[in-house]
């Protein structure tokens, strides 16, 4: 009986273990084929993301700015994959500035409720979990037009790139 339990345990361990390969969601259909680019976002000559905090994000929303923002955490493999595979090449090719907000760093984490209040009614990427803790899905890429979130993509898929190409000039 113990041998069967050990074998079952090992089987479950290998079945649920994390592999080091990241699925980049290359095989997703382009949900943005019928969108006409109409949002002029900030341009940059920089070759990296512009890192901001919750207070700076709120100021941009209150100023009715139009911009691209990535919600990420430094320990998130999918966030790193999105940055390297889709976002940084997009930034370098278009010159469209991408703001990056590390939602779980020591400064921003206590301000998640303020961040949620900036999102409007429909913000499934910032929600309460079953333990009533406020959490942010990562990576989440948003396009904000005149201080309002127009569209967003969650997770690591090529739709991040499709969305940016579909909406941003």
């Amino acid at each position: 009986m113990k041998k069967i339990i050990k074998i079952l345990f090992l089987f479950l361990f290998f079945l649920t273990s994390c592999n080091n390969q990241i699925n980049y969601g290359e095989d997703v259909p382009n949900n943005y084929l019928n969108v006409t680019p109409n949002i002029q976002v900030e341009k940059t000559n920089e070759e990296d993301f512009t890192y901001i905090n919750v207070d700076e994000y709120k100021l941009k929303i209150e100023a009715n700015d139009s911009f691209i923002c990535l919600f990420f955490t430094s320990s998130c493999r999918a966030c790193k994959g999105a940055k390297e595979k889709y976002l940084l090449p997009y930034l370098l090719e278009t010159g469209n500035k991408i703001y990056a907000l590390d939602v779980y760093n020591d400064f921003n984490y206590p301000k998640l409720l303020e961040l949620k209040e900036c999102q409007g009614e429909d913000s499934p990427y910032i929600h309460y979990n079953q333990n009533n803790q406020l959490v942010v899905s990562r990576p989440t890429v948003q396009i904000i037009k005149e201080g309002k979130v127009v569209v967003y993509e969650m997770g690591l898929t090529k739709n991040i790139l499709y969305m940016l190409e579909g909406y941003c000039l």
Side-chain angles (χ1 to χ4, degrees):
M1 183 66 169
K2 286 185 180 183
K3 192 173 192 177
I4 292 173
I5 292 174
K6 285 181 184 179
I7 291 171
L8 184 59
F9 176 76
L10 285 173
F11 175 74
L12 289 174
F13 175 76
F14 288 116
L15 184 66
T16 60
S17 292
C18 177
N19 67 27
N20 287 324
Q21 295 182 3
I22 295 177
N23 178 359
Y24 287 100
E26 292 282 338
D27 55 349
V28 298
N30 185 342
N31 295 332
Y32 301 96
L33 286 174
N34 297 324
V35 175
T36 302
N38 64 353
I39 301 174
Q40 182 66 57
V41 296
E42 295 176 55
K43 296 289 187 179
T44 185
N45 292 326
E46 298 172 25
E47 295 183 354
D48 199 2
F49 304 97
T50 302
Y51 294 90
I52 61 173
N53 61 43
V54 171
D55 292 339
E56 293 165 321
Y57 179 91
K58 286 174 43 183
L59 286 174
K60 294 189 74 47
I61 295 291
E62 291 166 3
N64 293 322
D65 288 349
S66 297
F67 61 102
I68 301 166
C69 189
L70 163 69
F71 292 161
F72 79 103
T73 56
S74 55
S75 61
C76 169
R77 287 186 341 179
C79 299
K80 183 178 179 186
K83 288 165 82 174
E84 292 174 355
K85 178 78 174 174
Y86 301 123
L87 297 172
L88 190 56
Y90 173 82
L91 178 150
L92 294 173
E93 181 181 322
T94 64
N96 287 343
K97 183 181 273 194
I98 299 174
Y99 290 92
L101 197 157
D102 186 344
V103 293
Y104 288 123
N105 73 17
D106 291 340
F107 180 82
N108 292 323
Y109 181 71
K111 297 181 177 223
L112 287 185
L113 184 57
E114 294 175 44
L115 185 63
K116 180 170 178 49
E117 291 169 352
C118 292
Q119 305 307 306
E121 295 297 316
D122 182 35
S123 58
Y125 47 88
I126 303 178
H127 60 275
Y128 288 94
N129 66 12
Q130 64 272 17
N131 298 324
N132 207 32
Q133 296 171 317
L134 197 57
V135 294
V136 180
S137 299
R138 303 152 334 271
T140 295
V141 179
Q142 305 175 309
I143 299 175
I144 293 102
K145 181 178 182 180
E146 298 170 355
K148 304 262 186 288
V149 178
V150 174
V151 65
Y152 61 88
E153 278 290 333
M154 298 184 299
L156 177 57
T157 75
K158 195 166 185 176
N159 268 329
I160 291 171
L161 184 58
Y162 295 150
M163 175 188 68
L164 294 172
E165 292 171 346
Y167 278 89
C168 298
L169 297 171

